[in-house]
Amino acid sequence: MRCLKRIVAREVHRALTSTPATHITQNASLQLLDSSRSIPRTENPMSTKLYDGLRLTVHAPGLFELTCVISKRMREVFRELAVPIIARNVARVVDDAEIRERGMGGPLHNYLVYRARKLWLDEQAGVDDRMTFHDPLHFSIVFGQIDDDYGMRRLAYPFAGNRAYTEALMALEADGRPFFVDYHYQNQADRPKDIRKDEWKRRRDDWNRLLDADDRETDGTLGHLPGWQLPDSIESVFNAVLLGYKDTTIDLNAHCTIEHRMRRALNRAVTLDLDLDEVNGISRVLTRNRRIERAVELYLDTAAGAAMVRPEPLPDARDLDIAVSELPPVYGPPSEAVARISELYREQALAGD
């Protein structure tokens, strides 16, 4: 069993060290060891990037008190991030005829909030593990301490499904003095100009010491360090947010505006109108979407675009349990608008823009 775990650890390590920098804290490979706290060794010859490495300042409280502060703030961020997820999925149920007509599994799912929740969970369940965390609201953090001739340094490494968590951590302070400062490290990259050479080397050595555990089964990970994990997850996001705001109306339109919903509907309609292939490489899909968005922008700047019918506002949060039959009509952009935007898209494609 110990041998098998070491083999798995090596495979995860190899996958992680070849992961693009921006994906280190978001890629699902981090969970292949049944731990969200696994990251690669820093001395590995391949590219390793610990972009979210942090150091606790002398103003930060002790670990127990700090965890209480983090717990409170991360739950607030969780709620802030959860509302837009609800809004986007409610909008899809309201605006998309295909989704509205899809069987959602029983009388309970005739209600908007449950349809939106099931839509999200069903789609997440079908996404390849290599492409998503399956939980954009995930947050956990581990702590370590280094004590040597240079003094004592307390380090932290967060794993977050959204950058907002890390930004909230960096904003924690007492009397204007921050609890955390940047302590990132990446090898095979030029040292930042504002960091001294000896400081950069110390960061490398500090992270190596924390990554080296005496137990060979956890060697090369942070799984042996103390930490805290946000207990809320995407599985309960809809219920958690709605219950948390049960006495207050959530303005869903503030988180998924009519303009955004209209643009999304136009993008989808043009894609279908031109029979554009959805699976043709990330770069080509991004180029296609940029061209469609540019064509939409050009059309909306015309008199016809300004006069185009917009979607109906979303229901208030207090009315999310209304029956589907009471929802606003499914929004479908005018065919003449789709045709004109399609022409603008073709013109860009022909010009190679």
Side-chain angles (χ1 to χ4, degrees), residues 253-315:
N253 296 286
H255 299 280
C256 187
T257 65
I258 288 175
E259 182 78 7
H260 172 78
R261 292 161 58 204
M262 181 182 66
R263 287 175 179 271
R264 182 177 58 197
L266 286 168
N267 190 305
R268 181 174 182 271
V270 170
T271 299
L272 295 174
D273 179 59
L274 296 177
D275 194 24
L276 297 174
D277 186 2
E278 289 283 353
V279 187
N280 55 6
I282 293 176
S283 178
R284 291 179 63 187
V285 169
L286 291 175
T287 299
R288 181 203 67 195
N289 287 346
R290 282 195 298 268
R291 287 174 178 167
I292 293 178
E293 177 57 29
R294 199 175 300 132
V296 169
E297 187 71 34
L298 290 172
Y299 179 77
L300 293 180
D301 283 342
T302 66
M308 192 174 71
V309 176
R310 266 58 175 171
E312 294 289 332
L314 292 172

Side-chain angles (χ1 to χ4, degrees), residues 126-140:
V127 178
D128 192 316
D129 284 341
R130 295 170 297 179
M131 303 301 293
T132 180
F133 241 151
H134 287 263
D135 189 351
L137 304 185
H138 166 85
F139 173 82
S140 62

Side-chain angles (χ1 to χ4, degrees), residues 15-314:
L16 287 172
T17 51
S18 61
T19 301
T22 56
H23 293 168
I24 281 293
T25 60
Q26 298 176 354
N27 196 285
S29 301
L30 292 172
Q31 299 200 0
L32 294 181
L33 277 179
D34 194 27
S35 170
S36 62
R37 302 196 290 263
S38 302
I39 61 175
R41 291 173 173 276
T42 58
E43 75 269 18
N44 189 280
M46 300 181 72
S47 179
T48 301
K49 300 174 175 63
L50 297 110
Y51 279 166
D52 294 324
L54 302 173
R55 179 174 60 81
L56 278 68
T57 70
V58 294
H59 310 293
L63 188 58
F64 179 78
E65 183 182 347
L66 179 63
T67 301
C68 292
V69 174
I70 290 174
S71 172
K72 180 177 183 296
R73 181 67 185 114
M74 294 306 104
R75 285 178 179 273
E76 292 171 350
V77 176
F78 171 84
R79 289 158 66 96
E80 293 165 4
L81 296 173
V83 174
I85 289 179
I86 290 180
R88 287 194 296 270
N89 284 274
V90 166
R92 293 179 63 197
V93 174
V94 171
D95 293 336
D96 194 320
E98 182 179 341
I99 292 174
R100 283 275 290 276
E101 295 169 2
R102 186 186 305 170
M104 301 296 279
L108 186 62
H109 299 138
N110 285 334
Y111 295 92
L112 182 58
V113 64
Y114 296 104
R115 277 182 168 246
R117 182 180 187 275
K118 191 171 189 302
L119 173 65
W120 168 263
L121 294 177
D122 286 351
E123 292 185 349
Q124 284 291 294
V127 178
D128 192 316
D129 284 341
R130 295 170 297 179
M131 303 301 293
T132 180
F133 241 151
H134 287 263
D135 189 351
L137 304 185
H138 166 85
F139 173 82
S140 62
I141 186 170
V142 292
F143 303 95
Q145 181 170 303
I146 303 293
D147 198 349
D148 55 20
D149 293 339
Y150 295 101
M152 190 269 286
R153 296 175 296 288
R154 295 181 294 167
L155 308 187
Y157 200 91
F159 296 89
N162 192 296
R163 186 69 190 173
Y165 287 117
T166 305
E167 293 172 353
L169 274 181
M170 297 294 286
L172 292 176
E173 60 178 32
D175 299 325
R177 298 172 176 177
F179 290 169
F180 294 95
V181 292
D182 172 74
Y183 206 71
H184 82 280
Y185 175 80
Q186 73 263 18
N187 63 1
Q188 293 209 330
D190 292 335
R191 171 175 52 87
K193 294 181 180 179
D194 60 338
I195 300 178
R196 299 192 313 272
K197 186 176 181 179
D198 60 335
E199 165 73 7
W200 195 240
K201 179 179 180 297
R202 191 172 303 143
R203 292 189 185 193
R204 179 199 67 191
D205 295 343
D206 284 352
W207 286 116
N208 273 332
R209 290 173 65 178
L210 288 184
L211 288 168
D212 281 334
D214 293 333
D215 184 350
R216 294 185 63 186
E217 290 188 9
T218 60
D219 193 29
T221 75
L222 296 178
H224 60 291
L225 296 176
W228 180 83
Q229 181 168 326
L230 184 71
D232 303 296
S233 72
I234 194 64
E235 294 291 334
S236 60
V237 59
F238 291 86
N239 291 340
V241 173
L242 289 174
L243 289 175
Y245 285 89
K246 61 183 179 181
D247 297 324
T248 308
T249 298
I250 306 173
D251 184 3
L252 296 177
N253 296 286
H255 299 280
C256 187
T257 65
I258 288 175
E259 182 78 7
H260 172 78
R261 292 161 58 204
M262 181 182 66
R263 287 175 179 271
R264 182 177 58 197
L266 286 168
N267 190 305
R268 181 174 182 271
V270 170
T271 299
L272 295 174
D273 179 59
L274 296 177
D275 194 24
L276 297 174
D277 186 2
E278 289 283 353
V279 187
N280 55 6
I282 293 176
S283 178
R284 291 179 63 187
V285 169
L286 291 175
T287 299
R288 181 203 67 195
N289 287 346
R290 282 195 298 268
R291 287 174 178 167
I292 293 178
E293 177 57 29
R294 199 175 300 132
V296 169
E297 187 71 34
L298 290 172
Y299 179 77
L300 293 180
D301 283 342
T302 66
M308 192 174 71
V309 176
R310 266 58 175 171
E312 294 289 332
L314 292 172

